Amino acid sequence: MTIAPPTDRTVEHLDRGPLTREEMAATIARDIPDGSYVNLGIGQPTTVADHLRPGSGIVLHTENGMLGMGPAATGDDIDPDLMNAGKIPVTELPGASYFHHADSFAMMRGGHLDVCVLGAFQVSEHGDLANWHTGAPDAIPAVGGAMDLAIGAKDVFVMMTLFAKDGTPKLVPRCTYPLTGLACVSRVYTEHATFLVGPHGTTVVETFGTGVDDLAGRLDVPLTRIGAS
Amino acid sequence: MTIAPPTDRTVEHLDRGPLTREEMAATIARDIPDGSYVNLGIGQPTTVADHLRPGSGIVLHTENGMLGMGPAATGDDIDPDLMNAGKIPVTELPGASYFHHADSFAMMRGGHLDVCVLGAFQVSEHGDLANWHTGAPDAIPAVGGAMDLAIGAKDVFVMMTLFAKDGTPKLVPRCTYPLTGLACVSRVYTEHATFLVGPHGTTVVETFGTGVDDLAGRLDVPLTRIGAS
Amino acid sequence: MTVIAETTADAVAGIADGATVLIGGFGMAGMPVALIDALIAQGATNLTVVSNNAGNGDTGLAALLAAGRVAKMICSFPRQADSYVFDGLYRDGRIDLEVVPQGNLAERMRAAGAGIGAFFCPTGVGTPLAEGKETRTIDGRDYVLELPIKGDVALIGAHAGDPLGNLVYRKTARNFGPVMATAAATTIAQVTRIVDTGDLDPEAVVTPGIYVDRIVQVTQEATA
Amino acid sequence: MTVIAETTADAVAGIADGATVLIGGFGMAGMPVALIDALIAQGATNLTVVSNNAGNGDTGLAALLAAGRVAKMICSFPRQADSYVFDGLYRDGRIDLEVVPQGNLAERMRAAGAGIGAFFCPTGVGTPLAEGKETRTIDGRDYVLELPIKGDVALIGAHAGDPLGNLVYRKTARNFGPVMATAAATTIAQVTRIVDTGDLDPEAVVTPGIYVDRIVQVTQEATA
């Protein structure tokens, strides 16, 4: 982890409900420092782009070979040769550059990106990530760039719901789904709370519509507070 | 070795003297097929360029990052940003391209060049090359691109005098100088003869001003003839 | 030495049964559809295909798969919304699959092109895709040993090429093309435009002609 | 995030004693002479310098060596007609030397920038420069295991740069610059010209700004 948490004391927002998806995206955008190089994974993480501050100087990377990616393209701006990793047409900002796949993944693997934001099926209390395979025996395995992204930035932020549809926690002592990467996640953003994860375990940064004690009762992961020593 | 020898029978040119340096360069140029990608080592091998056939389509590579290198630059054509590996100003031909050092040496190491022409202190009968260090204890070691070039082409041709100034042969059973590469040379051009070298030993292609039997008496390397079976 | 092929049939002539064929493109960007169509007509079979995906819809790579020509796919992401041709073959046990993380796919081909025998890579450490592979801790970090992926043939799509085989690409259609061009014994490029030698800026050439064996011009109309 | 430095002194501020400094250039092409001069003035010492050569004449890298700031050179070709400064230090035992084949020098820095932990390389097999290194036969060919070379700082020369740090080079002055830019924690580029954001063709950018921490404009006059 290289980016400091946004607060020096755990904050419990009890006077409101859980974050909406939009609010989660905005929270992540708030926490990305100006001038960062950022890769936003396909799906939900892509929406973080809509909340980046104008003039922040944040540069978006897409692993299919571009820095300086702009918003989604519409109408006449759609160019079949210009798409993001989710194969959605995008635009080019001034100062963009193109490079081939080996150079693009060298950029990630070499630790040059500041932040990747990814979705997840599960994250362990120490930052292991499972986001590529549910382990279902009949699933066709498909990893794409997930394993490269998992190790591809100084900070890897996960954006996910805290609980699966069946109510089981997705922040877990140990991932039961096949792993994408070991000890690679530094922060987990959910609708109920934001967590730091890593070698020292899981720390709550902020809660939304709930408190740390309540969350501790719903998760199998020991939770600590920032500034509580 | 991928380029067939220029003759299907050993030829002894007894009605003339040894080749001049110019004639050696011309002989090598004659033996490089049309359309080849070629790297000419610094020093004598560079002169091969002067003898390439017009319209041959041969493209010259310089390991400091260029394909399509033209002749040496003179006068106003000298550009301090455009030089060959010997740091001599050169020119650019239509269809040239530039690339960085890692890409340039990947091109060599990956076996994409057809021919490298190098100088040598010694070559063994099986194609080992010694051309970077005389083994003198007070010499400052300096390898440059020699070891990369030695393995950097489908065919590595050596251009050298057959005997050192003290009269000792430079085509030897086993190199006594520190090696540049193992079993990498496919052909040796000298003023007295051209040899194929490799796993099956040394074969004489052509002689100039001498015969195979005479050469066999002056070298410690068993010599065979092409077409003598 | 680069040859300008008159037709896509000429361009793909001689591809052998059992060949490993690298196919460029990420989604449809950079996908050499005309060359794949020519390969289907050419008839080579029992192929191993290396490509990021495993075909979309019914055209291009999906059509090659549907024709039964591919024994094995090496790719990062076979499963897509419209990968039903591959999905069917896979579930029927009629095609082998090696899933490779996308960056490893690129780097393993880069290694093949660059004469690297193997490399220690941090991607996938501790995951099922590293099972059975040699691992090593270097300078405190864990790595998996990865081997090169060489092609017999590469089929790539580029924007413009010259008679020496120099290529430039357009935007994110560059993707795997330049890497695959280095990794195959024979590289075949379809380009939108063949320009005169000297028309490409030497500073901006992405794939030097040394990597390109055959190029063929395929107009936008023909690929649509 | 790239910072435009007003002066070469600002550009090299903070380089620490004992740092590993990658210095671009092949001969004088691409050599960041103004940055080296600034480094001499800045005063950092006990440096390890990685560069293809070990200085020419009395200026640039040779001047840094002459000032006694370099404890070790890692290079491919120290010995040149005018490398007398290095030669003297070496013969006096006042500088350490690691000689690396030129392509391995480039590839080891490329590995550092690309997150590769080590790689098996065919260059130098069976030679004195492979002594003591791990070797392995892969697919019938022999290789030597080579480790990354990381820099604390890279000093490189480029042609033009924009405020985001994107760089283009000129002709063979490109050489080691793009590789070193990826391999150092802090990359500092001297450029002949700083252009507006958007003025460089995105297809022709050689070093994306992500690799460049500081750029400083040095006019031709100032370097001559």
Side-chain angles (χ1 to χ4, degrees):
Chain A
M1 185 187 74
T2 64
I3 298 172
T7 167
D8 58 3
R9 250 199 127 68
T10 297
V11 180
E12 296 176 305
H13 298 285
L14 299 173
D15 55 345
R16 56 156 298 158
L19 298 181
T20 64
R21 287 179 166 197
E22 286 285 296
E23 288 170 329
M24 283 171 65
T27 303
I28 294 172
R30 178 200 68 188
D31 290 356
I32 297 175
D34 281 358
S36 297
Y37 287 91
V38 177
N39 184 299
L40 301 175
I42 63 179
Q44 280 297 307
T46 302
T47 64
V48 172
D50 302 333
H51 300 275
L52 296 173
R53 301 169 296 288
S56 68
I58 289 170
V59 177
L60 296 182
H61 172 261
T62 180
E63 62 264 35
N64 53 321
M66 181 186 194
L67 278 168
M69 181 174 65
T74 53
D76 287 349
D77 284 342
I78 291 175
D79 180 335
D81 285 342
L82 181 50
M83 58 174 66
N84 68 14
K87 290 160 191 162
I88 293 166
V90 292
T91 51
E92 171 190 303
L93 296 179
S97 56
Y98 296 100
F99 28 83
H100 61 57
H101 245 81
D103 280 351
S104 184
F105 281 78
M107 193 180 283
M108 296 208 295
R109 197 192 305 112
H112 303 284
L113 292 177
D114 296 298
V115 179
C116 273
V117 183
L118 301 174
F121 297 141
Q122 292 178 324
V123 178
S124 84
E125 58 179 320
H126 297 299
D128 296 346
L129 173 67
N131 77 345
W132 74 287
H133 200 300
T134 59
D138 66 335
I140 296 177
V143 70
M147 289 183 183
D148 309 274
L149 288 158
I151 61 150
K154 298 186 187 88
D155 273 278
V156 173
F157 291 176
V158 158
M159 179 183 192
M160 68 176 191
T161 57
L162 187 52
F163 300 97
K165 284 179 184 151
D166 66 3
T168 55
K170 293 164 71 175
L171 179 60
V172 293
R174 193 185 156 87
C175 296
T176 55
Y177 287 159
L179 284 180
T180 309
L182 281 172
C184 52
V185 178
S186 59
R187 213 177 282 190
V188 180
Y189 289 87
T190 75
E191 73 278 41
H192 297 297
T194 302
F195 306 90
L196 310 181
V197 293
H200 303 296
T202 299
T203 302
V204 182
V205 179
E206 285 180 290
T207 66
F208 306 96
T210 183
V212 176
D213 291 341
D214 181 50
L215 283 173
R218 300 177 67 191
L219 298 173
D220 295 329
V221 168
L223 300 180
T224 57
R225 293 167 191 253
I226 304 180
S229 56
Chain B
M1 186 187 74
T2 64
I3 299 171
T7 167
D8 59 1
R9 253 200 125 66
T10 297
V11 180
E12 297 176 305
H13 298 285
L14 299 173
D15 56 346
R16 57 155 298 157
L19 297 181
T20 64
R21 286 179 166 197
E22 286 285 296
E23 288 170 331
M24 284 171 63
T27 303
I28 294 171
R30 178 200 68 189
D31 290 356
I32 298 174
D34 281 359
S36 297
Y37 287 92
V38 177
N39 184 299
L40 300 174
I42 64 178
Q44 280 296 307
T46 302
T47 64
V48 172
D50 302 332
H51 300 274
L52 296 173
R53 299 169 298 286
S56 67
I58 289 170
V59 177
L60 296 183
H61 172 262
T62 181
E63 61 264 34
N64 52 320
M66 181 188 195
L67 279 168
M69 180 176 64
T74 54
D76 287 349
D77 285 342
I78 292 175
D79 181 335
D81 285 341
L82 181 50
M83 58 174 66
N84 68 14
K87 291 161 190 162
I88 293 166
V90 293
T91 52
E92 170 190 304
L93 296 179
S97 56
Y98 296 100
F99 28 82
H100 62 57
H101 245 81
D103 279 352
S104 184
F105 281 79
M107 193 179 283
M108 298 208 295
R109 197 190 308 109
H112 303 283
L113 292 177
D114 296 298
V115 179
C116 273
V117 184
L118 301 175
F121 297 142
Q122 293 178 323
V123 178
S124 84
E125 59 179 320
H126 297 299
D128 296 346
L129 173 67
N131 77 344
W132 74 287
H133 200 300
T134 60
D138 66 335
I140 297 176
V143 70
M147 290 183 182
D148 309 274
L149 287 158
I151 61 150
K154 298 186 187 88
D155 274 277
V156 173
F157 291 176
V158 159
M159 179 183 191
M160 68 177 190
T161 58
L162 186 52
F163 300 97
K165 283 180 186 152
D166 67 3
T168 56
K170 292 164 70 175
L171 179 59
V172 294
R174 193 185 156 87
C175 295
T176 54
Y177 288 159
L179 285 179
T180 308
L182 281 172
C184 53
V185 178
S186 60
R187 212 176 283 190
V188 180
Y189 289 86
T190 75
E191 74 278 40
H192 297 298
T194 302
F195 306 90
L196 310 181
V197 293
H200 303 297
T202 300
T203 301
V204 182
V205 179
E206 284 181 289
T207 67
F208 306 96
T210 183
V212 176
D213 292 340
D214 180 51
L215 284 174
R218 300 177 66 190
L219 299 174
D220 295 329
V221 169
L223 300 178
T224 57
R225 292 166 192 254
I226 305 180
S229 57
Chain C
M1 193 171 157
T2 308
V3 171
I4 300 179
E6 286 300 312
T7 66
T8 55
D10 290 347
V12 302
I15 297 179
D17 290 352
T20 294
V21 183
L22 317 179
I23 299 183
F26 183 87
M28 293 308 289
M31 181 67 68
V33 175
L35 292 176
I36 298 170
D37 287 348
L39 176 57
I40 294 170
Q42 187 259 3
T45 192
N46 195 32
L47 303 172
T48 294
V49 168
V50 183
S51 196
N52 189 61
N53 302 113
N56 302 79
D58 294 299
T59 59
L61 178 50
L64 184 69
L65 294 171
R69 304 291 175 69
V70 181
K72 180 178 181 180
M73 276 298 316
I74 301 177
C75 66
S76 88
F77 208 77
R79 190 188 60 220
Q80 298 189 277
D82 57 353
S83 61
Y84 44 82
V85 171
F86 174 82
D87 297 359
L89 290 168
Y90 182 77
R91 295 195 195 283
D92 292 349
R94 289 167 59 204
I95 195 164
D96 289 334
L97 172 64
E98 179 181 349
V99 171
V100 178
Q102 197 170 140
N104 289 9
L105 196 64
E107 188 71 11
R108 290 174 63 186
M109 289 190 280
R110 193 255 172 202
I116 301 299
F119 59 94
F120 283 103
C121 185
T123 309
V125 167
T127 76
L129 296 190
E131 274 169 22
K133 295 189 174 185
E134 179 177 340
T135 60
R136 187 179 294 200
T137 305
I138 301 169
D139 205 11
R141 192 174 191 190
D142 293 334
Y143 296 89
V144 180
L145 189 68
E146 296 288 350
L147 296 172
I149 299 176
K150 287 186 182 36
D152 296 302
V153 177
L155 305 182
I156 64 173
H159 179 54
D162 73 14
L164 295 183
N166 294 304
L167 301 178
V168 295
Y169 302 81
R170 260 196 95 240
K171 304 188 184 284
T172 58
R174 187 181 302 196
N175 59 67
F176 283 97
V179 185
M180 290 178 168
T182 71
T186 300
T187 292
I188 307 168
Q190 76 172 63
V191 299
T192 310
R193 210 153 52 94
I194 294 179
V195 301
D196 289 339
T197 298
D199 279 1
L200 298 177
D201 176 1
E203 306 282 3
V205 167
V206 173
T207 295
I210 191 172
Y211 293 118
V212 180
D213 297 279
R214 306 174 195 169
I215 62 173
V216 60
Q217 181 167 309
V218 177
T219 59
Q220 293 288 28
E221 289 71 23
T223 56
Chain D
M1 192 172 157
T2 308
V3 171
I4 299 179
E6 286 300 313
T7 67
T8 55
D10 290 346
V12 302
I15 297 179
D17 289 352
T20 295
V21 182
L22 316 179
I23 299 183
F26 183 87
M28 293 308 290
M31 180 68 67
V33 175
L35 292 177
I36 298 170
D37 288 346
L39 175 58
I40 294 170
Q42 187 260 1
T45 192
N46 194 30
L47 304 172
T48 294
V49 169
V50 183
S51 195
N52 189 62
N53 302 113
N56 301 80
D58 294 298
T59 59
L61 178 50
L64 185 69
L65 295 171
R69 304 291 175 68
V70 181
K72 180 179 181 181
M73 278 296 317
I74 300 176
C75 67
S76 88
F77 207 78
R79 190 189 59 222
Q80 298 191 278
D82 57 354
S83 62
Y84 44 83
V85 171
F86 174 82
D87 298 359
L89 291 169
Y90 182 77
R91 293 195 196 284
D92 291 349
R94 291 167 57 204
I95 195 165
D96 288 335
L97 172 64
E98 179 181 349
V99 171
V100 178
Q102 195 170 140
N104 289 9
L105 196 65
E107 188 71 11
R108 289 174 63 188
M109 289 190 280
R110 193 255 172 204
I116 300 298
F119 58 94
F120 283 104
C121 184
T123 308
V125 167
T127 76
L129 296 189
E131 273 169 23
K133 296 189 174 186
E134 179 177 340
T135 59
R136 187 179 295 200
T137 305
I138 301 168
D139 205 10
R141 192 173 191 190
D142 293 335
Y143 296 89
V144 180
L145 188 68
E146 295 288 351
L147 295 173
I149 299 177
K150 289 185 181 37
D152 296 302
V153 177
L155 306 181
I156 64 173
H159 179 55
D162 72 15
L164 296 183
N166 294 304
L167 300 179
V168 295
Y169 301 81
R170 260 196 93 241
K171 303 188 185 283
T172 58
R174 187 181 301 196
N175 59 68
F176 283 96
V179 185
M180 290 178 169
T182 70
T186 300
T187 292
I188 306 167
Q190 76 172 64
V191 300
T192 310
R193 209 153 52 95
I194 294 179
V195 301
D196 289 338
T197 299
D199 279 1
L200 298 177
D201 177 1
E203 306 282 4
V205 168
V206 173
T207 295
I210 191 171
Y211 294 118
V212 180
D213 297 279
R214 307 176 195 168
I215 63 172
V216 60
Q217 181 168 308
V218 177
T219 58
Q220 294 287 31
E221 289 71 22
T223 57

